[in-house]
Amino acid sequence: MSKLKLPGLIDIHTHMREPGAIHKEDWDSGTSAALAGGFTTIFAMPNTNPAVMDNKTLNLSLKEAENKARCDFAQFIGAGSDNAEKISLLSPKTAGLKMYLDSTYGELQLGDMAQWISHFQYWPKELPIAVHAEGPTMAASILLAHLYDRPIHICHVSRKDEILVIKTAKERGLPVTCEVTPHHLFLTAEDINHLGPGRSEVRPVLASPTDRDALWENMDVIDCFATDHAPHTLQEKDGANPPPGFPGLETALPLLLTAVHEGRLSIDDLINKLHTNPRKIFNLAEQPETFIEIDPDTTWEIRADETFTRCGWTPFEGMQVRGRVFRVVLRNHEVFKDGRISAKPGTGRNLRTQST
Ligand code: NCD
Ligand code: ZN
Ligand code: ZN
Ligand code: ZN
């Protein structure tokens, strides 16, 4: 097959670690990894330090991003126990609202349901609420979205019961969308053995082969692929209290292109779930002058020492993949070619400052 031109990919779930933990990643290294992986827009999660939960912390993160980002971006704001009304006024400046309702990394996990409900009441209906909610919590969050008649987006769906509930909710016309990560499509609990206990730590945890198969079998229920790029250093992952999370920006596209090559995924599905649906769900304008060029036939081996992320490892080390991005054009400027980033820090734009 010859070279292919695709629209710039959009990752709606990225952890940048700045402010607070730039030894893991910062806006520069993280957006470099994005471009190298074919992503021209990333949405940054709010579980930084300080967490993004009000005007001050939002501006702090956006200032770093505006100075350092090499790809386009928007910033999620985090739901707290008493900030629902205040942050609803900031929504035009954000990618959306993020609510953590289950075990995660950082301080943002919400406790009781009374705290969730205020966010369902206040957050504007034009933008989805993205939730980290698993199993019964996920079902409860879909019910609340229904009761308050507003859209909800389920982050990193990993299990059979979850995807089947989402399928049924969609069949009933409920306003739910969802994302699945490449690691839950390509790894299972059986990989914990070779990855080791620290390096296999991730939330949601790696699931069973049956769960993984259910995700593939319900590909039409999945709206988006999202990396949940959650970099922690190798030292941290191999240390005493390994934090959960995998890097993913530089491995998502080659893994999914490999599935395309194997006939398990169509290229249209890949474009819909990494560009078209993210754009529609989160109200982003088309960027006709932003695109990527890929070579779908190149076979290569994933190696952490060739990546731009600062974390220094990947759970896919040594995996043979087929398909690679070789050129990225951002708003008419070549920003990546043949493994080299040419975008300068600050090239990236906040997509929520020029919204309509
Ligand atoms: C994420 C992180 O490290 O920020 N970790 C993870 O295992 N996915 C947090 C999250 O996405 O819940
Ligand atoms: Zn999460
Ligand atoms: Zn995450
Ligand atoms: Zn498009």
Side-chain angles (χ1 to χ4, degrees):
M1 214 193 286
S2 58
K3 315 231 149 143
L4 271 181
K5 181 177 162 183
L6 307 184
L9 307 182
I10 301 166
D11 187 25
I12 57 176
H13 191 150
T14 312
H15 297 271
M16 279 297 159
R17 308 306 189 200
E18 181 169 19
I22 61 173
H23 65 288
K24 298 175 196 271
E25 201 78 287
D26 71 359
W27 277 98
D28 181 350
S29 62
T31 54
S32 297
L35 289 177
F39 292 95
T40 52
T41 294
I42 62 98
F43 286 179
M45 285 294 157
N47 64 340
T48 43
N49 188 10
V52 177
M53 298 186 75
D54 56 19
N55 194 42
K56 187 168 163 236
T57 47
L58 177 62
N59 287 339
L60 185 69
S61 173
L62 288 176
K63 189 170 156 275
E64 299 297 351
E66 273 149 25
N67 288 332
K68 294 169 83 171
R70 300 183 198 238
C71 73
D72 290 350
F73 59 89
Q75 172 69 54
F76 273 102
I77 196 157
S81 55
D82 60 3
N83 67 350
E85 187 175 0
K86 276 200 173 135
I87 60 175
S88 69
L89 305 172
L90 302 172
S91 66
K93 289 167 67 175
T94 72
L97 174 67
K98 178 65 186 281
M99 294 179 70
Y100 291 90
L101 306 181
D102 275 305
S103 165
T104 180
Y105 172 75
E107 307 298 315
L108 280 179
Q109 193 175 336
L110 287 177
D112 70 71
M113 196 163 70
Q115 296 170 0
W116 321 355
I117 288 174
S118 58
H119 292 285
F120 282 85
Q121 289 172 326
Y122 281 109
W123 192 253
K125 293 185 183 183
E126 298 78 51
L127 275 179
I129 296 177
V131 291
H132 176 144
E134 303 178 34
T137 316
M138 185 206 78
S141 71
I142 294 174
L143 173 65
L144 288 175
H146 179 47
L147 296 178
Y148 288 96
D149 189 25
R150 53 145 316 110
I152 188 165
H153 176 80
I154 312 294
C155 296
H156 45 45
V157 173
S158 65
R159 301 206 316 245
K160 181 175 181 176
D161 56 355
E162 295 167 347
I163 198 72
L164 293 181
V165 167
I166 293 169
K167 177 183 159 83
T168 309
K170 286 184 172 197
E171 285 165 359
R172 294 298 179 96
L174 301 195
V176 53
T177 56
C178 71
E179 70 189 37
V180 169
T181 69
H183 51 268
H184 291 116
L185 288 168
F186 289 88
L187 298 174
T188 69
E190 292 182 345
D191 293 294
I192 295 173
N193 259 340
H194 86 263
L195 287 171
R199 295 189 199 187
S200 57
E201 274 295 346
V202 68
R203 297 292 176 276
V205 298
L206 294 177
S208 70
T210 308
D211 290 314
R212 175 204 54 201
D213 294 347
L215 298 178
W216 284 100
E217 283 156 19
N218 290 283
M219 197 48 77
D220 57 332
V221 181
I222 301 171
D223 298 279
C224 310
F225 297 132
T227 69
D228 191 11
H229 179 79
H232 300 286
T233 65
L234 200 51
Q235 202 184 357
E236 291 163 337
K237 295 295 279 181
D238 288 346
N241 279 308
F246 295 165
L249 283 168
E250 291 163 272
T251 47
L253 180 62
L255 288 168
L256 293 165
L257 285 172
T258 304
V260 171
H261 178 78
E262 291 166 352
R264 299 201 287 151
L265 181 73
S266 74
I267 192 79
D268 285 345
D269 253 355
L270 184 149
I271 295 168
N272 282 335
K273 295 178 203 309
L274 284 173
H275 170 77
T276 315
N277 294 341
R279 194 171 65 64
K280 287 183 183 160
I281 294 167
F282 289 92
N283 281 325
L284 295 177
E286 272 284 21
Q287 292 181 308
E289 275 135 18
T290 293
F291 59 89
I292 68 174
E293 290 170 354
I294 61 162
D295 180 344
D297 282 328
T298 307
T299 301
W300 58 288
E301 188 183 301
I302 293 175
R303 294 167 52 103
D305 65 7
E306 291 170 4
T307 58
F308 287 87
T309 174
R310 198 164 282 161
C311 73
W313 76 286
T314 162
F316 301 106
E317 183 73 36
M319 195 180 276
Q320 290 281 123
V321 286
R322 190 164 175 141
R324 191 168 207 168
V325 55
F326 71 90
R327 185 163 175 261
V328 177
V329 173
L330 180 69
R331 286 178 273 100
N332 252 341
H333 297 286
E334 183 178 284
V335 287
F336 174 86
K337 196 179 179 198
D338 293 331
R340 282 180 51 92
I341 308 266
S342 50
K344 297 278 178 296
T347 310
R349 284 197 193 156
N350 179 357
L351 295 183
R352 288 300 194 226
T353 55
Q354 41 230 305
S355 62
T356 47

